Coordinates of all heavy atoms in Angstrom, one line a residue:
L1 N 45.6 -101.1 -20.1 CA 45.1 -102.3 -19.5 C 43.6 -102.3 -19.1 O 42.9 -103.2 -19.5 CB 45.9 -102.6 -18.2 CG 45.6 -103.8 -17.5 CD1 45.6 -105.1 -18.4 CD2 46.4 -104.1 -16.2
V2 N 43.2 -101.1 -18.6 CA 41.8 -101.0 -18.2 C 41.0 -101.1 -19.4 O 40.0 -101.7 -19.5 CB 41.6 -99.6 -17.3 CG1 40.1 -99.3 -17.3 CG2 42.2 -99.8 -16.0
F3 N 41.3 -100.2 -20.5 CA 40.6 -100.2 -21.7 C 40.6 -101.6 -22.3 O 39.6 -102.1 -22.8 CB 41.0 -99.2 -22.8 CG 40.6 -97.7 -22.4 CD1 41.6 -96.7 -22.0 CD2 39.3 -97.4 -22.4 CE1 41.2 -95.5 -21.8 CE2 39.0 -96.1 -22.0 CZ 39.9 -95.2 -21.8
G4 N 41.6 -102.2 -22.3 CA 41.7 -103.7 -22.9 C 40.9 -104.6 -22.1 O 40.2 -105.5 -22.7
I5 N 40.8 -104.5 -20.8 CA 39.9 -105.4 -20.0 C 38.4 -105.0 -20.2 O 37.6 -105.9 -20.5 CB 40.3 -105.3 -18.6 CG1 41.6 -105.9 -18.3 CG2 39.2 -106.0 -17.5 CD1 42.1 -105.6 -16.9
V6 N 38.1 -103.8 -20.3 CA 36.8 -103.3 -20.6 C 36.3 -103.7 -21.9 O 35.2 -104.3 -22.0 CB 36.7 -101.8 -20.3 CG1 35.3 -101.2 -20.9 CG2 36.8 -101.3 -18.9
G7 N 37.2 -103.6 -22.9 CA 36.8 -104.2 -24.2 C 36.6 -105.6 -24.3 O 35.7 -106.0 -24.9
A8 N 37.5 -106.3 -23.6 CA 37.4 -107.8 -23.6 C 36.1 -108.1 -23.1 O 35.5 -109.2 -23.4 CB 38.6 -108.3 -22.9
L9 N 35.6 -107.5 -22.0 CA 34.4 -107.8 -21.4 C 33.2 -107.3 -22.2 O 32.0 -107.5 -21.8 CB 34.3 -107.2 -19.9 CG 35.5 -107.7 -19.0 CD1 35.4 -107.0 -17.7 CD2 35.1 -109.3 -18.7
G10 N 33.4 -106.6 -23.3 CA 32.4 -106.0 -24.0 C 31.7 -104.9 -23.6 O 30.5 -104.6 -23.8
L11 N 32.4 -104.2 -22.7 CA 31.9 -103.0 -22.0 C 32.2 -101.6 -22.5 O 31.8 -100.7 -22.2 CB 32.3 -103.0 -20.6 CG 31.9 -104.2 -19.7 CD1 32.5 -104.2 -18.3 CD2 30.3 -104.4 -19.6
G12 N 33.0 -101.7 -23.5 CA 33.3 -100.4 -24.1 C 34.3 -100.5 -25.2 O 34.6 -101.7 -25.7
A13 N 34.7 -99.4 -25.8 CA 35.7 -99.6 -26.9 C 37.1 -100.0 -26.4 O 37.5 -99.7 -25.4 CB 35.9 -98.1 -27.6
V14 N 37.6 -100.8 -27.2 CA 39.0 -101.3 -27.0 C 40.0 -100.1 -27.5 O 40.0 -99.9 -28.6 CB 39.4 -102.5 -27.7 CG1 40.8 -102.9 -27.5 CG2 38.4 -103.7 -27.3
V15 N 40.8 -99.7 -26.5 CA 41.8 -98.6 -26.8 C 43.1 -99.1 -26.2 O 43.1 -99.4 -25.1 CB 41.4 -97.2 -26.3 CG1 42.5 -96.3 -26.6 CG2 40.0 -96.8 -26.8
A16 N 44.2 -99.1 -27.0 CA 45.4 -99.4 -26.6 C 46.4 -98.3 -27.0 O 46.2 -97.6 -27.9 CB 45.9 -100.8 -27.2
I17 N 47.4 -98.1 -26.2 CA 48.5 -97.1 -26.4 C 49.1 -97.4 -27.7 O 49.8 -98.4 -27.7 CB 49.2 -96.9 -25.1 CG1 48.5 -96.6 -24.0 CG2 50.3 -95.8 -25.5 CD1 47.6 -95.3 -24.0
P18 N 49.3 -96.5 -28.6 CA 50.0 -96.8 -29.8 C 51.5 -96.6 -29.4 O 52.0 -95.7 -28.7 CB 49.7 -95.7 -30.8 CG 49.1 -94.6 -30.0 CD 48.6 -95.2 -28.8
L19 N 52.5 -97.3 -30.0 CA 53.9 -97.3 -29.8 C 54.4 -96.4 -30.9 O 54.9 -96.9 -31.8 CB 54.4 -98.7 -29.8 CG 53.8 -99.6 -28.7 CD1 54.4 -101.0 -28.9 CD2 54.1 -99.1 -27.3
I20 N 54.3 -95.1 -30.8 CA 54.7 -94.2 -31.8 C 55.9 -93.3 -31.5 O 56.2 -92.5 -32.2 CB 53.5 -93.3 -32.2 CG1 53.0 -92.5 -31.1 CG2 52.4 -94.0 -32.9 CD1 51.8 -91.6 -31.4
G21 N 56.5 -93.7 -30.5 CA 57.8 -93.0 -30.2 C 57.9 -92.4 -28.7 O 56.9 -92.5 -28.1
P22 N 59.1 -91.8 -28.4 CA 59.2 -91.2 -27.1 C 58.1 -90.1 -27.0 O 57.8 -89.4 -27.9 CB 60.6 -90.7 -27.1 CG 61.2 -91.3 -28.3 CD 60.2 -91.6 -29.3
V23 N 57.7 -90.0 -25.7 CA 56.7 -89.0 -25.3 C 57.3 -88.2 -24.2 O 58.0 -88.6 -23.4 CB 55.3 -89.7 -24.9 CG1 54.8 -90.4 -26.3 CG2 55.4 -90.6 -23.8
V24 N 56.6 -87.0 -24.1 CA 56.8 -86.1 -22.9 C 55.5 -85.6 -22.4 O 54.5 -85.7 -23.2 CB 57.8 -85.0 -23.3 CG1 59.2 -85.4 -23.7 CG2 57.1 -84.1 -24.4
A25 N 55.5 -85.2 -21.3 CA 54.2 -84.4 -20.8 C 54.0 -83.2 -21.7 O 54.8 -82.7 -22.4 CB 54.3 -84.1 -19.4
A26 N 52.8 -82.7 -21.7 CA 52.5 -81.5 -22.5 C 53.5 -80.5 -22.2 O 54.1 -80.2 -21.1 CB 51.0 -80.9 -22.1
A27 N 53.7 -79.7 -23.2 CA 54.8 -78.6 -23.2 C 54.3 -77.6 -22.3 O 53.1 -77.4 -22.0 CB 55.1 -78.1 -24.6
P28 N 55.3 -76.7 -21.8 CA 54.9 -75.5 -21.0 C 53.9 -74.6 -21.7 O 54.0 -74.5 -23.0 CB 56.1 -74.7 -20.8 CG 57.2 -75.8 -21.0 CD 56.7 -76.7 -21.9
A29 N 52.9 -74.2 -21.2 CA 51.9 -73.2 -21.7 C 50.9 -74.0 -22.5 O 50.0 -73.3 -23.2 CB 52.6 -72.1 -22.4
V30 N 50.9 -75.2 -22.5 CA 49.9 -76.0 -23.4 C 48.8 -76.3 -22.4 O 48.9 -76.6 -21.1 CB 50.6 -77.3 -23.9 CG1 49.5 -78.1 -24.5 CG2 51.7 -77.1 -24.8
G31 N 47.6 -76.3 -22.9 CA 46.3 -76.5 -22.2 C 46.4 -77.9 -21.5 O 47.1 -78.9 -22.0
D32 N 46.0 -78.2 -20.3 CA 46.0 -79.4 -19.5 C 44.8 -80.3 -20.0 O 43.7 -80.4 -19.4 CB 46.0 -79.3 -18.1 CG 46.1 -80.4 -17.3 OD1 46.6 -81.4 -17.9 OD2 45.7 -80.4 -16.1
V33 N 44.9 -81.0 -21.2 CA 44.0 -81.9 -21.7 C 44.2 -83.2 -21.2 O 45.4 -83.9 -21.6 CB 43.9 -81.8 -23.2 CG1 42.9 -82.9 -23.7 CG2 43.5 -80.5 -23.7
Q34 N 43.4 -83.7 -20.3 CA 43.7 -85.1 -19.7 C 43.8 -86.2 -20.7 O 43.0 -86.3 -21.6 CB 42.6 -85.5 -18.7 CG 43.0 -86.7 -17.9 CD 41.9 -87.0 -16.9 OE1 40.9 -86.3 -16.7 NE2 42.1 -88.1 -16.3
G35 N 45.0 -86.9 -20.6 CA 45.3 -88.0 -21.6 C 46.1 -87.7 -22.7 O 46.6 -88.4 -23.5
Y36 N 46.3 -86.2 -23.1 CA 47.0 -85.9 -24.2 C 48.5 -86.2 -24.0 O 49.1 -85.8 -23.0 CB 46.9 -84.4 -24.4 CG 47.6 -83.9 -25.6 CD1 47.4 -84.2 -27.0 CD2 48.8 -83.2 -25.5 CE1 48.1 -83.8 -28.0 CE2 49.7 -82.7 -26.5 CZ 49.2 -83.1 -27.7 OH 50.1 -82.7 -28.8
V37 N 49.1 -86.8 -25.0 CA 50.5 -87.0 -25.0 C 51.3 -86.3 -26.2 O 51.0 -86.5 -27.3 CB 50.8 -88.5 -25.2 CG1 52.3 -88.7 -25.1 CG2 50.1 -89.3 -24.0
E38 N 52.2 -85.4 -25.8 CA 53.0 -84.7 -26.8 C 54.2 -85.6 -27.1 O 54.9 -86.1 -26.2 CB 53.4 -83.4 -26.2 CG 54.1 -82.6 -27.3 CD 54.5 -81.2 -26.9 OE1 55.0 -81.0 -25.8 OE2 54.3 -80.2 -27.7
L39 N 54.4 -85.7 -28.3 CA 55.6 -86.4 -28.8 C 56.9 -85.7 -28.6 O 57.0 -84.5 -29.0 CB 55.5 -86.9 -30.2 CG 54.3 -87.8 -30.5 CD1 54.2 -88.1 -32.1 CD2 54.4 -89.1 -29.8
E40 N 57.9 -86.3 -28.0 CA 59.2 -85.8 -28.0 C 59.8 -85.6 -29.4 O 60.5 -84.6 -29.7 CB 60.1 -86.6 -27.1 CG 61.5 -86.0 -26.8 CD 62.2 -87.1 -25.9 OE1 61.9 -87.0 -24.7 OE2 63.2 -87.6 -26.4
T41 N 59.6 -86.6 -30.2 CA 60.0 -86.4 -31.6 C 58.8 -86.7 -32.5 O 58.3 -87.7 -32.9 CB 61.1 -87.7 -31.9 OG1 62.1 -87.6 -30.9 CG2 61.6 -87.5 -33.3
P42 N 58.3 -85.5 -33.1 CA 57.3 -85.6 -34.0 C 57.6 -86.4 -35.3 O 58.6 -86.4 -35.6 CB 57.0 -84.1 -34.5 CG 57.5 -83.3 -33.3 CD 58.7 -84.2 -32.7
F43 N 56.6 -86.9 -35.9 CA 56.9 -87.8 -37.1 C 55.9 -87.2 -38.2 O 54.9 -86.8 -37.9 CB 56.7 -89.2 -36.9 CG 55.4 -89.8 -36.4 CD1 54.4 -90.2 -37.4 CD2 55.0 -89.7 -35.1 CE1 53.3 -90.7 -37.0 CE2 53.7 -90.2 -34.7 CZ 52.8 -90.7 -35.8
P44 N 56.4 -87.3 -39.5 CA 55.5 -87.0 -40.5 C 54.3 -87.9 -40.7 O 54.3 -89.1 -40.4 CB 56.3 -87.1 -41.8 CG 57.5 -88.1 -41.4 CD 57.5 -88.0 -39.9
V45 N 53.3 -87.4 -41.1 CA 52.0 -88.0 -41.5 C 52.3 -89.2 -42.5 O 53.1 -89.0 -43.4 CB 50.8 -87.1 -41.9 CG1 50.4 -86.0 -40.9 CG2 51.2 -86.4 -43.2
P46 N 51.6 -90.3 -42.3 CA 51.8 -91.4 -43.3 C 51.3 -91.1 -44.6 O 50.3 -90.2 -44.6 CB 51.0 -92.6 -42.6 CG 50.2 -92.0 -41.6 CD 50.7 -90.7 -41.2

């Protein structure tokens, strides 16, 4: 929502969350990269 509003106001890139499947928080022992979403069900590259 914030990115959409910022983009609509012409203040930055418009970024929306893709609806690519169920997600989970980063797996145990994975680096804590802010904003990274690990997929619960990975999918093949298009």
